[in-house]
Structures are given as C-alpha cells and as structure tokens.
Amino acid sequence: MDSRFTSFLSANYVPTKDEVDEIRQLLVDPVDQLDQLDAELTRLQNSIDMLYLKRSQLHNDIVRHRNLIAPLRRIPEELLQEIFFRCLPVDHNAVMSCFEAPLLFGRVCSQWRRVSLSTPRLWSSIHIVLPGDISPGDPSVAINQIPSIHGAVKEWLDRSGGLPLSISLFQVPYVYASQARMDELMSSLIQFSSRWKNVALILPSFLTSPLFSLSHKALPLLETFFFHSTTNGPSPLPESTPLDIFQAPHLHTLSSYQLGAIPQDMKWSQLTSLSLESHG
C-alpha cells in the first residue's frame, strides 16, 4: 500500500504524535483486509485438506483393489515354494534371523507365512550361535538365552519333516555356558540324529560329552562331520576314547580337532577327506 509515509519505511524516521494517529487510522482498512485474507486462506486450506483426505482414501481403495489382481497373488504355491527355496543361502546354513530367509518370509503376509511354514525344504538347514552377547556384570544373561534358543531350534527342525539335515552350531568363545543347559540342547539335536547329513560343531570340548553316547547306527545319513574345539589347553574328555560317530555308514568327510579317537575298525575306504588334530 502506498502512503505519504512510504519513503520513511526504510529510514530511522520518528513520526510526530499527530503522524502516529494518522498512521493508526491509515492501517484500519489494511488490517481488516488482512484479516479477511487470513480467513479466506484458512477456508481454502480446510478445503484442500478435505480434498487430500478424500484423495488418500480413494487412492488406498484403488491400491487395495489393484492388489487383488496383482500377478504375485496368482503364483502357484509350488512355484512360490521354489522361489523361497532359491532365496536360502548357498554357502552356509540358514541363520536364525527374522531379517533373512526363511524366517523373513513369515513377516511379509499371512499367505507367505503359511507357505513357508509348510515347506520342509526351507527348514532342513540351520546355523545356531550360542549365545551372542553377555553382560559383564551378570554371566547368567548368556546362560538364560539358551532355553529360548533350544525351543526355537526344536520348532525349526520339527518343520523340516523327514528331510536330511545340515546343522552347524557355534558357541562364542569365552562366554559362560551351563553344562546342563548345553547338554539339554545337544540332547535335543541328537533326537534328530537319524536325519543328520552335514554337521559342524565349534564348541568347547567339555560341552560335547553327549556325542560319546551316540551310536553310529543312529546316523544312517551322516556324510560330513566337522568339530573344532574352542577350549584352550587339553580337553577334559579322554581323547583316547573312540568316538562311534566316526563309523557312520556313509561318512566320507571328517575333520576333528580335540574330540575322541579313531576306532580300530574305522571304514577307511569310504573316506574322501580326513583331518585329525589334537592338543599339543
């Protein structure tokens, strides 16, 4: 707006008392106009907000209906199972993480969860880490993780149906573990020994005592067996005691560090790879 005071707006001019009254009177109409514009802007903004709300609702309805005709919904279940299987890692066993296959599939939608849980091939390999973390002031934190892992492992392997299993078990060195807790987990794994195909264990030697009671007759499918002790110093178990696992009828790859001795009647002719080490 133009007025006789326009030239003073950018200066340090001090108006007189009469000029102050004049300026106040001059601003009456512009202030009313400003209030009207603000009211109109508010009205228009409310209208725009309402349009955005209607657009959002309409867009959501369109997307949901388009999802009904998405090609992915029409993929046969057998093909979806094959896609899931191809997503599994090829250089290691499947890990127990909800951010990786196969657990990841169950987080997408109910259909994918149903298909993944009913596909035994997805659960025929597993990599177990015991435990991952420990509280410096409370070693029981690590110990208390084992029962929950034990339950998850059993549930995982139960989903594998009757398929051969690939199992790897790793305990972080220098982390406390209860002998009873670990025996419980090992005993649970041994329940599935008739389906062991590839087994790799990286554990302290003193946690492997259940293996010495396992007969080779309980291992009809075992082809590869790897054990490495994380124990520093001599094993508390008698390394001269033969381990019957080594006589599994189809075992062809064997690697053992600080675990038992070779039986006298070892089936040497079927071995294609052998590595034996002992402390000292």
Side-chain angles (χ1 to χ4, degrees):
M1 77 185 188
D2 292 327
S3 72
R4 73 181 187 88
F5 298 101
T6 300
S7 60
F8 301 125
L9 296 179
S10 300
N12 293 326
Y13 177 74
V14 179
T16 65
K17 181 179 181 302
D18 291 339
E19 289 176 330
V20 169
D21 293 338
E22 183 180 350
I23 292 173
R24 286 175 176 168
Q25 186 62 37
L26 180 66
L27 291 176
V28 171
D29 288 342
V31 168
D32 288 341
Q33 293 177 19
L34 181 62
D35 291 341
Q36 293 175 11
L37 288 174
D38 287 339
E40 181 66 11
L41 286 172
T42 300
R43 185 186 67 80
L44 292 175
Q45 186 63 53
N46 291 336
S47 298
I48 291 174
D49 291 343
M50 183 61 66
L51 290 174
Y52 269 116
L53 178 60
K54 291 181 178 180
R55 182 195 180 280
S56 177
Q57 293 172 343
L58 183 60
H59 176 265
N60 290 338
D61 288 341
I62 292 173
V63 169
R64 292 166 63 188
H65 281 78
R66 281 178 174 171
N67 287 341
L68 288 175
I69 59 174
L72 187 60
R73 284 181 177 263
R74 301 194 297 275
I75 293 180
E77 186 169 305
E78 296 78 7
L79 180 56
L80 191 59
Q81 290 176 324
E82 187 64 28
I83 293 174
F84 287 173
F85 180 71
R86 301 280 179 161
C87 291
L88 293 178
V90 295
D91 56 349
H92 59 80
N93 292 333
V95 298
M96 302 175 68
S97 169
C98 59
F99 299 105
E100 298 188 33
L103 288 177
L104 177 62
F105 302 135
R107 306 184 68 191
V108 177
C109 64
S110 59
Q111 181 195 9
W112 282 30
R113 177 175 174 81
R114 178 186 61 79
V115 172
S116 63
L117 293 180
S118 61
T119 306
R121 285 195 300 168
L122 301 180
W123 311 97
S124 61
S125 77
I126 185 172
H127 178 62
I128 310 162
V129 178
L130 297 174
D133 300 300
I134 184 169
S135 170
D138 185 8
S140 65
V141 172
I143 298 174
N144 291 336
Q145 291 180 11
I146 296 179
S148 60
I149 295 175
H150 167 250
V153 168
K154 188 177 186 306
E155 184 177 357
W156 182 298
L157 296 179
D158 283 338
R159 296 171 186 161
S160 64
L163 295 179
L165 299 174
S166 292
I167 299 173
S168 49
L169 176 60
F170 171 68
Q171 187 198 9
V172 179
Y174 314 116
V175 176
Y176 295 96
S178 162
Q179 178 76 52
R181 295 291 194 191
M182 284 300 298
D183 284 352
E184 182 181 5
L185 176 61
M186 291 296 295
S187 297
S188 180
L189 292 177
I190 288 175
Q191 292 178 10
F192 297 90
S193 62
S194 62
R195 294 195 284 125
W196 286 4
K197 182 178 181 180
N198 305 297
V199 175
L201 305 175
I202 303 177
L203 300 168
S205 295
F206 66 87
L207 297 178
T208 59
S209 55
L211 294 177
F212 283 84
S213 60
L214 187 60
S215 168
H216 69 275
K217 296 179 181 179
L219 302 162
L221 303 180
L222 186 63
E223 295 183 359
T224 65
F225 182 81
F226 173 91
F227 176 80
H228 184 89
S229 173
T230 59
T231 306
N232 290 324
S235 170
L237 300 174
E239 292 188 57
S240 60
T241 302
L243 193 62
D244 204 41
I245 289 179
F246 295 166
Q247 296 192 84
H250 294 98
L251 183 66
H252 59 71
T253 300
L254 172 61
S255 178
S256 174
Y257 170 68
Q258 207 167 306
L259 182 68
I262 293 293
Q264 292 184 353
D265 53 350
M266 184 73 182
K267 299 177 181 178
W268 298 104
S269 60
Q270 70 184 34
L271 290 178
T272 59
S273 176
L274 176 65
S275 174
L276 299 175
E277 296 182 58
S278 179
H279 177 75

